[in-house]
């Protein structure tokens, strides 16, 4: 079945540092790929998405490129802020049927001033 | 629009008790989902619905039931609560208009219900 693997956290960075959170997936067909963010005590919010190979999703300075050849969707940001501290989830949605999301285990990011 | 709302926010149950988690969306979405999130883990799909009157099991349906009598509401029922059901429960909704494989619309999540079974 479908699966998503993320790098384990926590990831601790200083403000203005470069961020990369790795995500790889296993899926049949042509899944859509997502990054969701969860701030403390809140639900999940969509950060960005990509629906086909070589698409780049971007939002709030975050970017991720759908790489079918390496089955990856790594999240990057050039300069993190304290307000980016949260848990980040990589997820995929199958191309048919229920279209539910398969999530990775999440990566906690802590940004220090 | 309120989006996806869930009640209650917190609940403590004793083993063997029952309860219903409420979920309502006001975006006229056809798809609705229930997920659970265990500590340090990603979300797992419990049940989903593709429209009023149509529901199906996800990855971890045991111990739960759902119904979808209207487009807006998708309650999750826990019968005979067990400690293994201690978790945070998220409801989500999306609109999928069919079409090309691989085109999937965004899921919108509620704020969650934190359930403890003692």
């Amino acid at each position: 079945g479908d699966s998503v693997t993320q790098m384990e956290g926590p990831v601790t960075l200083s403000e203005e540092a470069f961020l990369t959170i790795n995500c790889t997936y296993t899926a049949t067909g042509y899944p859509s790929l997502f990054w969701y963010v969860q701030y403390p005590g809140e639900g999940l919010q969509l950060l960005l998405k990509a629906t086909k190979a070589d698409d780049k999703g971007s939002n709030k300075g975050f970017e991720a490129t759908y790489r079918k050849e390496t089955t990856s969707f790594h999240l990057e940001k050039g300069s993190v802020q304290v307000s980016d501290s949260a848990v980040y989830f990589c997820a995929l949605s199958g191309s048919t049927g229920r279209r539910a999301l398969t999530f990775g285990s999440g990566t906690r990011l802590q940004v220090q001033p | 629009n309120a989006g996806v709302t869930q009640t209650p926010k917190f609940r403590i149950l004793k083993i063997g008790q029952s309860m219903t988690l409420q979920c309502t969306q006001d975006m006229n979405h056809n798809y609705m989902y229930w997920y659970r999130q265990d500590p340090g883990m990603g979300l797992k799909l419990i049940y989903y619905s593709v429209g009023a009157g149509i529901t199906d099991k996800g990855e971890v349906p045991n111990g739960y039931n759902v119904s979808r009598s209207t487009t807006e509401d998708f309650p999750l029922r826990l019968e005979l609560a067990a400690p293994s059901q201690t978790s945070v429960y998220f409801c989500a909704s999306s609109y999928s208009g069919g079409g090309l494989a691989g085109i999937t619309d965004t899921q919108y999540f509620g704020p969650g219900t934190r359930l403890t079974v003692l």
Side-chain angles (χ1 to χ4, degrees):
Chain A
D2 297 347
S3 66
V4 176
T5 303
Q6 288 182 238
M7 62 187 289
E8 294 207 7
V11 173
T12 303
L13 296 174
S14 298
E15 209 164 22
E16 299 185 3
F18 185 86
L19 169 71
T20 299
I21 300 178
N22 291 337
C23 171
T24 57
Y25 68 90
T26 301
T28 56
Y30 304 93
S32 294
L33 301 175
F34 304 82
W35 278 100
Y36 278 83
V37 59
Q38 185 178 31
Y39 298 102
E42 298 186 10
L44 278 71
Q45 302 173 28
L46 178 69
L47 182 60
L48 53 84
K49 70 178 184 180
T51 57
K52 62 183 187 295
D54 300 324
D55 267 3
K56 178 186 283 189
S58 62
N59 186 26
K60 299 181 182 179
F62 291 89
E63 293 183 338
T65 301
Y66 189 147
R67 301 285 189 201
K68 191 167 176 61
E69 64 276 11
T70 55
T71 62
S72 64
F73 193 54
H74 303 321
L75 182 68
E76 297 182 334
K77 186 174 186 184
S79 176
V80 294
Q81 306 300 313
V82 172
S83 57
D84 294 326
S85 298
V87 180
Y88 292 81
F89 292 93
C90 185
L92 68 82
S93 178
S95 55
T96 59
R98 64 191 188 191
R99 298 185 175 181
L101 293 171
T102 299
F103 285 88
S105 57
T107 302
R108 182 176 298 279
L109 170 66
Q110 297 173 334
V111 181
Q112 298 176 336
Chain B
N1 283 356
V4 179
T5 57
Q6 292 182 239
T7 56
K9 290 190 178 194
F10 304 94
R11 184 72 185 267
I12 298 175
L13 285 181
K14 294 183 179 177
I15 294 172
Q17 289 185 319
S18 302
M19 76 166 293
T20 299
L21 281 65
Q22 301 292 344
C23 175
T24 299
Q25 55 92 7
D26 62 0
M27 297 174 282
N28 201 32
H29 286 168
N30 50 354
Y31 281 61
M32 295 188 75
Y33 308 86
W34 274 105
Y35 296 90
R36 59 177 285 173
Q37 182 182 29
D38 297 326
M41 306 291 288
L43 282 68
K44 300 286 187 185
L45 181 68
I46 305 172
Y47 270 96
Y48 71 101
S49 169
V50 301
I54 306 170
T55 63
D56 206 348
K57 297 177 181 178
E59 301 171 74
V60 291
N62 291 346
Y64 307 95
N65 277 301
V66 295
S67 60
R68 183 101 181 265
S69 57
T70 66
T71 299
E72 295 79 17
D73 299 307
F74 191 42
L76 177 72
R77 178 82 177 162
L78 277 71
E79 306 282 2
L80 299 175
S84 61
Q85 293 178 305
T86 294
S87 191
V88 181
Y89 292 83
F90 289 102
C91 179
S93 72
S94 67
Y95 178 75
S96 290
L100 297 175
I103 304 300
T104 303
D105 292 312
T106 302
Q107 288 191 22
Y108 295 86
F109 284 79
T113 295
R114 185 175 296 275
L115 175 67
T116 301
V117 181
L118 300 174

